Amino acid sequence: MRLGTRKVVDRSFTGLGIFSIALVSLALVILLTPIVVRGIGAVVFRATIEHDRVLMEHFERGNASTFAARNATAIAARAPVYEMLTAYEAQYGVDDFELEELREALQRLLGPAPDQSKPTLARDQFGATRWAQAQEAAHNVLYVQEWDYSDPTQFGVPVDVPRAKRFAGTPLESLFPYVSEHLDEMLQPHWTLYWGFLLDDSLDAHMFGGIWAEILGTLYLTIGAVLFAVPMGIISAIYLVEYAPDHWLIGVLRSCISTLAGVPSIVFGLFGLAFFINTAQVSKYFMAADSTGVSSKSILAGSLTLAILILPVIIRAAEEAIRAVPRTYKEAALSVGAGKWRTILTVMLPAALPGILTGIVISMGRAAGETAPIIFTAAVSVGRPLEVWQTLTQPTPALPWSVYNLCTEHTAADEIRHVQYGMVLTLVVLVLLLNTAAIILRARVSRRLAG
Amino acid sequence: MTTNPSIAPIGPGGAGRLAAPRSLLLSKRASRLRRVLALLGHGVLFLIASSSALAVIFIFFFIARDAIPFFRLEGFKEFFTGTAWYPTHEPPVFGALPIFVGSGLVTLGAILVAVPLGVPAAVCLSDVLPFSVRQYVKPVIEMLAAIPSVAFGFFALVIFTPLLQEHGGRVLAGVWWVVATPLVALLVFVLSDVVANWVVGEARHRAVRVLLAVLMAAAGAWLLFDVGGRFAALTISSGTNALNVSIILGLMALPTVVSVSEDALQAVGRELREGAYALGSTRAEVLVRVIIPAAGSGICAAVILGVMRAVGETMVVWMASGNAAQIPQPWYNLLAPVRTLTATIAGDMGEADQSAGSAHYHVLFAMALALLAISFVCNLISEQVIRRSALKNE
Amino acid sequence: MFYGDSAAVRDVTLGVPRGKVTAIIGPSGCGKSTLLRAINRMNDLIRGCRATGRLLLEGEDVYRPQIDVTALRRRVGMVFQKPNPFPKSIFDNVAYGPRIHGVRSRSDLQGIVEQSLRRAALWDEVKDRMRQNALGLSGGQQQRLCIARALAVEPELLLMDEPTSALDPMATDHIENLIAELRGTYTIIIVTHNMQQAARVSDLTAFMYVGELIEVGDTSGLFTKPVNQRTQDYITGRFG
């Protein structure tokens, strides 16, 4: 090859590397942008009067006088709608399928009609709480989806047909232009910052309210896992660095640690089910004698399972940190007559602490984000925030599991996308905060070791 | 230095605040006690340290204990070779071959994404980028590693799936253009030079060179447009398929591949690099001819660890692979929905009758045992590979 | 002394007189440090290291199995080649030893710390910043701090393993003066490959070569009229 070509190949080789890094960064941006943007939308959004009503009725929050004023305007704006309905019913009777459909669509938008009795399910008690939802609901009031089979070579195509057509010539004909023009007055949209999303209980399986139960459950599981894994991990690391003889058994032990690090997380879940719940029945010891729950999920079982999962991470981090402590510290301590244990406790561990903390923080991130190990051991779909003492016997909702559950198994998965995004963002922020803390800690350690 | 007048020569023990030094000798009893205590402490430490070994043994034992009843009930043959998976039929059929194929297919796909992206990125991180830039790139890779798998799964299901379903062909064509254009351009450039040298030797036949370059460029452009057009014409009937999962799993396995290969590249000694540079090689030649071969086994280990990550991942495949237990036709058809071992375990455990010890319950443990065996073997291989390369570099 | 199967130091018989400064000189790798570290059994830390023979401290063999190693190390202080203060405050560095040996009261600790720092000629420089991290001190100060730390447990014998090799000439001068002050109070064994230093600070000098003790004698005598040819060659600079 000519020298020129060699140079170009050299440059493009560099370019290839940079290109791949750019692609990876791009992928990260593509991944995180929608999660961040729409996740923030769970907390900052245009709320309607219905959102305020949920807060007033179920969480006893909000400014009563502002609410009363807004509510009065909204009721006044809604009155004509119900008048038209009554007029229509007087003329055509109530037993009308199309009327039924319209009423249902209106209920999704505005909540139950004033003359209606209070529905049992919370999701039917309120209209659209978010302006984006309200616009969709309004669209469903104004249009009906029909299937167009006119082209026999193709599958049916959905087409939106104005609902007004069905009611042409009736008192309801003017309802549709009224709804589309007075949507603002009927729902009173306003920007709001809903901190309660993080701190409120969920209402009717996340149709309204917040995700506090999930956040708390994740915290319990994470802290529990760390409580079990950290002492064992640090002691194991001390043994491996300071005591372990050159013996084939120690080689086997090291292989076991790396095997444990490679076990798929779902297998941990099965193991937790087979061992902690079915065999050891860890929660049985803390239950009242007369309780029937012999083997059930609990935070305790989940924490233990997660603890085994993060144990190798902690052992490796602690081992590395203890190995990095300069030998001279140890010599100095021994030379003034400190015993081995005293040297480890007073000199080696304090010096290794930042490195160990880095490992702990990273493993917390790992434990908080894992889903598969808690499916069979600790997670439930719906639940209330638990007290600390309940963690020994009770299962809990947790962020990662609820994300899965809400977007695949919830009956109204499409309507509560904002909750799903909010949960994902909360989880990602939690984990990334922990990892950022670890990166900062590590930078400080390396600076100290350098200077 | 002037003598500090405040120093008074005080004999040992003169301060009198410390207890007098103990005798050097311990009594026989104290000595024995001390030795027993030390041995005891050592033993306790060993016990705690071996808890992770204990955990591994327990995991194998408890998974195997619930897996064996399945093989006793149903035998091996159907499980490993049968292609029909109807665990809830009467009688149930447990042909897990499609599920093994599904796991293999998404893993293969993930590796096809992670390795071509990850190895150049690792090379770039270890040998090309200056330290100041590297500082900012590493956290990006670490962030990718830190994001919980359920967040990836959520992205795959809620954002990526509809995108593929509605604009599948165009998305794929876009990716093809972005990735292939620079590569094809480079290939055209190098090939035309090589061919020109082969045809006319070192002589400077300008016309021949230009002609060759134009011909090659035309061929390259044809290739780009042809394949791009084919991609654009594709319609994807279901967004939850092996391709979707492969891309996401590839991203998830990427940090492992990058960091392990980077370690391997860093481990190649300075002397080797300097020696090669001293012979007048360009950086690309040093990397391709010297450093990457020297780090080869480490990069192998990185790929194996990436495979482990992809095989063992649950949430993404459960949410976005389509969960259809059928072998894709043809087998490499990434656009078909598949079902993997992990997703089957996660999804079916809720349905399987736990208390009665049904075959459906035990078959899931059999799958977990298979997963465990795969990860164990991968782990052993990667450990051996890393150890061998460590020996070689010493 | 053996490392694995190879003997690092053999056939050394050396008497160290109380209250005197004994210097051990010799080329690098001749076993000086190994010998020194054998005295307070710091070599125990090194895997595969073992010792045969007897090493008597006040008539007691320190390699007898019943020996309490921590008590031994309390009576035999050590200062290392590179200053190695703990990453703690100056006060905690010096108080580390006394605390280990059971001194709890705050005022007692303060007294011991002050006294030790005075003896190490560091008190005036650091008395106003006892709470600061010891790693902020200069190299020479750090080394004197390490000497203070060793003195704080009131040893009888002080081992110094090339204590000035990592320091600049000014700091070296400080340390050498300090050794001169400590002479008489403590028995000191100093390992150095700097012959001038040995000549300046020691009363007795021993010359070691390839793990063997070649010659020992009065410092002035050894440097002016060496008996052995190899000592002669070494101190006149033919090798080493």
Side-chain angles (χ1 to χ4, degrees), chain C residues 6 11 16-17 22 124 129 136 156 170 179 193 200 215 218 240:
Chain C
S6 62
D11 298 338
V16 177
T22 305
D124 290 327
R129 42 180 177 146
E156 300 150 31
M170 280 291 288
I179 294 171
H193 59 228
R200 280 195 298 269
E215 186 171 352
D218 262 3

Side-chain angles (χ1 to χ4, degrees), chain B residues 96 100 265 319 381:
Chain B
F100 281 100
L265 289 164
M319 290 163 91
I381 296 174

Side-chain angles (χ1 to χ4, degrees), chain A residues 5-6 10 12 239 258 404, chain B residues 46 186 193 284-285 318 379 383:
Chain A
T5 317
R6 280 174 63 193
D10 187 36
S12 30
Y239 179 81
S258 66
Y404 167 80
Chain B
F46 177 74
L186 180 65
D193 186 68
E285 288 160 353
W318 191 16
N379 198 44
E383 235 179 49

Side-chain angles (χ1 to χ4, degrees), chain A residues 61 195-201 210-213 215:
Chain A
R61 267 210 313 270
W195 279 120
F197 180 73
L198 297 176
L199 300 174
D200 281 345
D201 291 1
I211 57 172
W212 175 237
I215 294 179

Side-chain angles (χ1 to χ4, degrees), chain B residues 14 37 52 69 72 93 199 204 220 243 247 256 268 321 333 375 377:
Chain B
L37 276 180
S52 31
R72 208 171 278 154
V93 187
V199 173
R204 288 181 150 270
L243 177 73
I247 293 174
T256 315
V268 175
S321 69
N333 180 11
S375 73
V377 170

Side-chain angles (χ1 to χ4, degrees), chain A residues 152-174:
Chain A
T153 61
Q154 294 266 307
F155 292 115
V157 182
V159 190
D160 282 338
V161 179
R163 203 187 285 269
K165 261 201 223 157
R166 298 184 173 182
F167 297 96
T170 70
L172 278 181
E173 195 179 8
S174 57

Side-chain angles (χ1 to χ4, degrees), chain A residues 66-99:
Chain A
T66 326
F67 174 72
R70 273 185 190 151
N71 198 23
T73 330
I75 288 174
R78 289 173 188 191
V81 173
Y82 296 116
E83 276 164 25
M84 284 181 241
L85 282 172
T86 327
Y88 178 85
E89 277 166 14
Q91 206 170 334
Y92 296 93
V94 272
D95 225 9
D96 179 343
F97 174 68
E98 300 205 328
L99 177 70

Side-chain angles (χ1 to χ4, degrees), chain B residues 101-114 160-161 164 168 172 175 231 234-250 317 320-324 326-340:
Chain B
V101 171
S103 267
L105 186 65
V106 296
T107 306
L108 183 72
I111 288 307
L112 287 181
V113 173
F160 201 39
T161 296
L164 275 183
L172 291 184
V175 171
F231 272 128
L234 274 179
T235 49
I236 298 174
S237 53
S238 163
T240 51
N241 56 34
L243 177 73
N244 180 341
V245 172
S246 293
I247 293 174
I248 304 290
L249 280 185
V317 287
S321 69
N323 287 330
Q326 61 193 26
I327 299 176
Q329 294 298 336
W331 65 268
Y332 53 81
N333 180 11
L334 280 171
L335 296 178
V338 292
R339 187 185 182 104
T340 67

